[in-house]
Amino acid sequence: STKYAFFEGQIVPIAEAKVSVMTHALHYGTACFGGIRGYWSTDDQQLYVFRLLDHTARFLQSCRLLLMNLPYSQQDLADIALRLLRQENFRHDTYVRPLGYKSALKVGVMLHGLADDVTIFALPFGRYVENEEGASVCTSAWRRFDDNAIPARGKLAGAYVNSSLVKSEALMNGFDEAIVLDHHGHVSEGSAANIIMVRNGQLITPPVTANILEGITRRTIMELAEAELGIPVVERDIDRTELYVCDELFFCGTGVQVAAIVKVDHRPVGAGTMGPVTQAI
Ligand code: PMP
């Protein structure tokens, strides 16, 4: 039910937003994206977009990592997204997807000296993880790639081959999601979500140097936990076996929102149900 897209500088019917099979991004994964939620309020008859400017800022950082020069500022992209949402007129929770891509029709592995473009579209969006109240997850057999191979702090299209391997393995083995370790064996994040552990009254989450995406939901929760709930937040490495002995565990991200993890590798997390801190958050 998506009707429009921002494409090649203007809002057009979605059927007209098409690229050539020769597009560089399609061959080499040389694209980057964002994912933004809008929450529909029936009371206010308004769509509230969550931290839009934070998202457009991170999107532009991903573009920088791919040597893209888009003629749009953080504010321009936010304005375009809002214009698109007004035109779509969804009266439902919504997901907005900006995508920057190497639009050059060129065969050749490189990032520099190629034309770039941006497209944005939106779609109605509900849950991303079925079991938001009690996910059963595994530790993935796949590892997270390192910053000096592909930077995880950018939402780079090609990098999501790793996430897709992780997610399909988990689902095909009957789990809801997976936790990915880095090459040191420390916890990195989920396939498309950050992870936060509750242990001894603290929120503990891997640092931004642990090959994670610098999640906007993660940062929001870290701020709210300290300011509103008085819970201290610590960024440090997490070992795999800490997951087996911690009190609570949850994923956070635009898609998963806050998803309680109640089992890791078939072992119950804490009491095996959503804990009070996760509930409060
Ligand atoms: N990590 C990865 C790999 C993701 O794809 C996402 C979803 N964008 C997140 C973490 C969560 O980030 P955010 O809260 O900004 O959506």
Side-chain angles (χ1 to χ4, degrees):
S1 53
T2 298
K3 295 190 285 298
Y4 304 101
F6 178 78
F7 182 70
E8 296 183 344
Q10 51 185 328
I11 294 177
V12 299
I14 188 72
E16 289 172 25
K18 298 245 165 81
V19 296
S20 162
V21 292
M22 289 180 70
T23 304
H24 194 273
L26 201 53
H27 297 252
Y28 306 114
T30 48
C32 60
F33 59 99
I36 308 159
R37 268 193 193 260
Y39 288 95
W40 175 252
S41 161
T42 328
D43 289 349
D44 298 349
Q45 294 290 300
Q46 289 278 349
L47 190 72
Y48 290 98
V49 181
F50 185 69
R51 302 198 90 152
L52 178 56
L53 285 168
D54 289 344
H55 277 280
T56 55
R58 187 180 65 196
F59 176 72
L60 287 172
Q61 282 175 18
S62 298
C63 292
R64 268 178 96 105
L65 292 172
L66 293 180
L67 298 180
M68 285 185 190
N69 285 306
L70 296 176
Y72 303 103
S73 68
Q74 178 189 8
Q75 188 65 52
D76 292 339
L77 292 167
D79 291 343
I80 294 165
L82 293 179
R83 193 145 49 87
L84 185 75
L85 286 171
R86 290 197 180 96
Q87 203 157 326
E88 285 285 10
N89 202 24
F90 291 130
R91 304 179 102 67
H92 194 283
D93 291 348
T94 301
Y95 184 82
V96 184
R97 165 58 53 87
L99 177 80
Y101 60 103
K102 296 278 168 195
S103 57
L105 307 183
K106 183 162 172 154
V107 170
V109 178
M110 68 191 82
L111 290 175
H112 69 287
L114 298 171
D116 318 298
D117 212 336
V118 65
T119 181
I120 309 180
F121 59 88
L123 56 151
F125 202 68
R127 284 182 174 226
Y128 178 77
V129 173
E130 277 311 314
N131 273 326
E132 257 172 30
E133 292 83 8
S136 165
V137 313
C138 59
T139 309
S140 183
W142 297 99
R143 289 294 165 111
R144 192 74 166 144
F145 45 81
D146 207 45
D147 184 65
N148 53 24
I150 300 178
R153 80 190 69 254
K155 269 181 89 70
L156 310 184
Y160 278 78
V161 171
N162 179 249
S163 293
S164 303
L165 289 166
V166 167
K167 182 78 180 202
S168 281
E169 179 199 47
L171 293 178
M172 288 159 75
N173 285 333
F175 296 98
D176 298 308
E177 242 297 343
I179 295 167
V180 195
L181 307 179
D182 66 15
H183 68 284
H184 298 296
H186 292 135
V187 171
S188 174
E189 57 182 342
S191 68
N194 293 116
I195 192 164
I196 301 183
M197 173 173 83
V198 182
R199 202 172 172 205
N200 303 324
Q202 291 180 325
L203 285 194
I204 303 169
T205 194
V208 295
T209 46
N211 301 311
I212 64 167
L213 182 73
E214 298 175 2
I216 290 161
T217 319
R218 170 184 177 276
R219 200 185 328 138
T220 306
I221 289 172
M222 290 164 73
E223 285 163 15
L224 291 178
E226 291 201 316
E228 308 240 340
L229 301 174
I231 303 173
V233 179
V234 178
E235 289 179 86
R236 67 156 174 84
D237 287 335
I238 295 177
D239 278 339
R240 174 175 180 167
T241 54
E242 285 190 274
L243 305 174
Y244 299 166
V245 297
C246 70
D247 303 315
E248 297 181 38
L249 200 58
F250 60 92
F251 287 122
C252 62
T254 300
V256 303
Q257 307 180 102
V258 174
I261 301 169
V262 299
K263 265 196 218 161
V264 179
D265 298 337
H266 302 289
R267 298 155 187 256
V269 175
T273 53
M274 189 193 305
V277 175
T278 308
Q279 181 72 54
I281 285 168

